[in-house]
Amino acid sequence: MNAEIPSNSRIRRRSWAEPWKVKVVEPIRMTSRTEREAAIREAGYNTFLLRSEDVYIDLLTDSGTSAMSDSQWAGMMLGDEAYAGSRNFFHLERTIQDHYGYRFVVPTHQGRGAENILARIMIKPGDVVPGNMYFTTTRLHQELAGATFMDIIVREAHDPTCELPFKGNVDLDALAALIERVGADRIPYISLAATVNMAGGQPVSMANAREVHELAARHGIKVMLDATRAVENAYFIQQREPGYASKPVAEILREFCSYTDGCTMSGKKDALVNIGGWLALNDGNLYEEASNLVVVYEGLHTYGGMAGRDMEAMARGIVESVADDHIRARVGQVEYLGRKLIDAGVPVVRPIGGHAVYLDAKAFYPHLDQEQFPAQALAAYLYEDSGLRAMERGIVSAGRDPETGRHRHPALELVRLTIPRRVYTQAHMDLTAESVVAVHEERMTARGLRLVHEPRYLRFFQARFERL
Ligand SMILES: *Cc1c(COP(=O)(O)O)cnc(C)c1O
């Protein structure tokens, strides 16, 4: 299957050392503590509002921040920038069909473009969309299309200390009860994410995906996968689920996708590109509608908001992303950072997820009330300490209940240290761990925040705060 990049899955290594060497470097700037205190104050204590030049180690997100390979950069020169029918689109389409197994592909500028189209073609007002924990943009598009999101993830996912191998799994009893209660005709699809970002990058097992599919199919309900980090999920299946240890990640990915009817995808994560995404479907009628609607929101159905060169880089990135050596080193680096923090006694979500280490801000700052935004406050202290940029995943990200207008209070109040793919070294991870430990040592003097500016949609991106 990996025609271009041979898979090295049969080479036994002692550690997760990277299967690449560095060819180009990008200098980063160190700042003084005084500069950082001024910068975060000016940014309203929101790390999204910092200038990247003022950041030393940027663990805000793994989205669009990966380093491309020389093969991907070479592919950029082969961009066919025709308005219609670019050869790079056909290469991308074939690569998605081969690796993810879906029949039809609609390119989009990034994941949320695909989410918008999927929600618009499948949801009618009053519908209910069950999912294994919400994701910010996914749920918003479902709500804007008139649906109510219902969380059907296993209970343990809300407990950061509970060590389960597949904490992203769907609670099948909860799903069955929901179908019984609201009726299958009000459920346009099940929104299955693998891995589950908001639960800490936790995977879904193959057995669970199969059972969700069987239950849904019995009621004529489709399963739509958020495939953003499905390769990382496949790696966890290989490592943790009986029967998969000797199977290549590429094969596991295809089997996993076979239990779903389509997917939305942010190419900015697994697929190792800075921009791009797609919607994939097996149903010809849905594809017909999606390829019509993409023209309204994204661009023609053979580019969907991407340049030809972007599609070429993503096609090559997909092939690289499923290579066992790549994914092992990628997740290995995340586990390395997580292990260091666990050993130092820092409260983190267990087990360590695929793309990030999540600090448990409730346990970090037990003296702060959730309405004093402990995770937001912690992210700001980390930046002041070392120029390390992280992100809040707690009450700010959860937003307000559209019915009551009150803050939603998620059980998990987290700070995410997200590792870009193929970008930082082990020394950067060591420094990150030292900074977190230093902030942890000062934890009892930490103060909370007050919200002073709140945007209407996805407020975590642009909200502003003052320190109490
Ligand atoms: C990033 C992400 C999305 C949205 O994709 P974008 O490319 O940022 O629009 C959807 N789902 C998950 C799980 C994500 O992490």
Side-chain angles (χ1 to χ4, degrees):
M1 179 179 298
N2 294 341
E4 291 163 55
I5 311 281
S7 161
N8 290 324
S9 62
R10 263 160 269 107
I11 299 175
R12 289 270 164 260
R13 286 181 191 278
R14 292 215 168 96
S15 77
W16 50 269
E18 294 83 354
W20 42 260
K21 57 185 176 175
V22 176
K23 177 137 61 181
V24 178
V25 297
E26 176 184 342
I28 45 182
R29 198 166 76 92
M30 296 204 196
T31 49
S32 70
R33 183 162 186 118
T34 319
E35 285 174 313
R36 292 193 294 274
E37 283 170 359
I40 193 73
R41 196 180 327 109
E42 273 163 39
Y45 295 92
N46 185 343
T47 51
F48 277 101
L49 301 178
L50 289 166
R51 287 166 184 261
S52 105
E53 282 188 330
D54 294 334
V55 172
Y56 180 45
I57 298 177
D58 201 347
L59 306 186
L60 183 72
T61 173
D62 63 333
S63 180
T65 53
S66 299
M68 293 208 296
S69 66
D70 53 0
S71 160
Q72 287 178 288
W73 279 108
M76 297 286 279
M77 280 308 289
L78 301 177
D80 168 4
E81 306 305 343
Y83 187 88
S86 159
R87 70 165 171 260
N88 311 118
F89 167 71
F90 295 109
H91 182 203
L92 174 64
E93 178 183 52
R94 202 170 57 244
T95 307
I96 295 168
Q97 288 165 339
D98 284 353
H99 289 77
Y100 288 79
Y102 302 110
R103 290 178 66 202
F104 303 106
V105 175
V106 182
T108 60
H109 78 286
Q110 59 183 85
R112 69 197 69 183
E115 291 170 350
N116 175 40
I117 292 167
L118 183 70
R120 282 175 183 266
I121 62 173
M122 293 197 73
I123 292 172
K124 50 184 190 331
D127 279 352
V128 169
V129 177
N132 52 342
M133 203 173 272
Y134 83 99
F135 183 73
T136 53
T137 58
T138 320
R139 182 177 66 189
L140 182 58
H141 282 299
Q142 291 159 0
E143 289 175 350
L144 290 173
T148 305
F149 176 84
M150 294 282 188
D151 190 358
I152 45 148
I153 200 165
V154 292
R155 232 176 330 110
E156 293 85 349
H158 299 283
D159 175 0
T161 62
C162 173
E163 293 255 11
L164 273 187
F166 293 103
K167 261 169 100 174
N169 277 357
V170 168
D171 180 336
L172 292 159
D173 293 335
L175 176 59
L178 182 69
I179 296 172
E180 179 81 7
R181 185 155 59 79
V182 305
D185 53 335
R186 279 181 61 207
I187 302 181
Y189 59 94
I190 293 162
S191 185
L192 180 72
T195 60
V196 184
N197 194 346
M198 302 300 276
Q202 303 295 334
V204 175
S205 71
M206 191 72 87
N208 190 250
R210 197 183 301 120
E211 285 168 335
V212 168
H213 175 69
E214 278 167 15
L215 175 59
R218 270 206 301 283
H219 293 276
I221 300 170
K222 288 193 165 26
V223 180
M224 293 298 171
L225 176 65
D226 182 338
T228 298
R229 296 186 188 80
V231 179
E232 290 170 6
N233 197 94
Y235 173 74
F236 282 122
I237 289 173
Q238 185 194 56
Q239 296 301 306
R240 297 178 184 172
E241 194 159 349
Y244 289 93
S246 62
K247 293 206 166 125
V249 164
E251 194 182 310
I252 298 172
L253 176 68
R254 271 192 72 119
E255 185 190 336
F256 195 89
C257 293
S258 76
Y259 301 126
T260 67
D261 301 283
C263 80
T264 55
M265 175 71 185
S266 170
K268 302 172 69 172
K269 322 296 178 35
D270 271 352
L272 298 164
V273 286
N274 305 120
I275 195 73
W278 72 78
L279 170 64
L281 296 161
N282 285 336
D283 181 304
N285 293 327
L286 282 177
Y287 168 70
E288 188 59 35
E289 281 188 57
S291 67
N292 187 211
L293 208 57
V294 77
V295 182
V296 181
Y297 291 102
E298 304 285 313
L300 193 68
H301 61 284
T302 56
Y303 74 85
M306 283 180 284
R309 55 180 172 270
D310 298 331
M311 294 190 280
E312 186 60 30
M314 189 154 73
R316 292 172 182 229
I318 291 166
V319 176
E320 293 177 14
S321 76
V322 300
D324 287 271
D325 253 18
H326 158 75
I327 194 68
R328 179 163 184 242
R330 189 282 183 280
V331 178
Q333 187 179 39
V334 178
E335 284 174 343
Y336 174 82
L337 174 63
R339 177 47 52 196
K340 285 206 110 162
L341 293 174
I342 289 169
D343 290 347
V346 174
V348 299
V349 174
R350 315 277 289 263
I352 301 299
H355 66 299
V357 177
Y358 291 72
L359 307 177
D360 180 355
K362 275 188 188 169
F364 214 100
Y365 292 148
H367 59 293
L368 296 185
D369 186 84
Q370 196 170 19
E371 296 211 2
Q372 295 176 338
F373 310 106
Q376 189 81 28
L378 174 53
Y381 281 119
L382 289 172
Y383 174 73
E384 287 178 348
D385 180 72
S386 61
L388 173 71
R389 172 152 72 169
M391 155 186 333
E392 192 260 14
R393 279 299 183 218
I395 186 168
V396 184
S397 293
R400 290 180 187 271
D401 187 304
E403 305 230 304
T404 66
R406 302 180 72 91
H407 291 303
R408 290 190 253 227
H409 284 84
L412 297 176
E413 178 74 20
L414 310 175
V415 169
R416 190 179 80 179
L417 303 170
T418 336
I419 317 299
R421 296 165 186 78
R422 309 193 292 204
V423 170
Y424 289 113
T425 65
Q426 192 153 328
H428 288 124
M429 295 300 104
D430 291 344
L431 193 143
T432 298
E434 285 163 22
S435 179
V436 174
V437 170
V439 171
H440 190 235
E441 278 164 4
E442 308 262 284
R443 61 192 176 277
M444 292 326 287
T445 59
R447 286 177 284 152
L449 298 170
R450 186 161 62 86
L451 186 57
V452 293
H453 167 71
E454 181 177 2
R456 188 140 66 105
Y457 300 116
L458 304 176
R459 62 182 182 174
F460 59 95
F461 283 129
Q462 292 154 332
R464 302 184 71 88
F465 301 83
E466 280 170 6
R467 195 166 267 163
L468 291 169

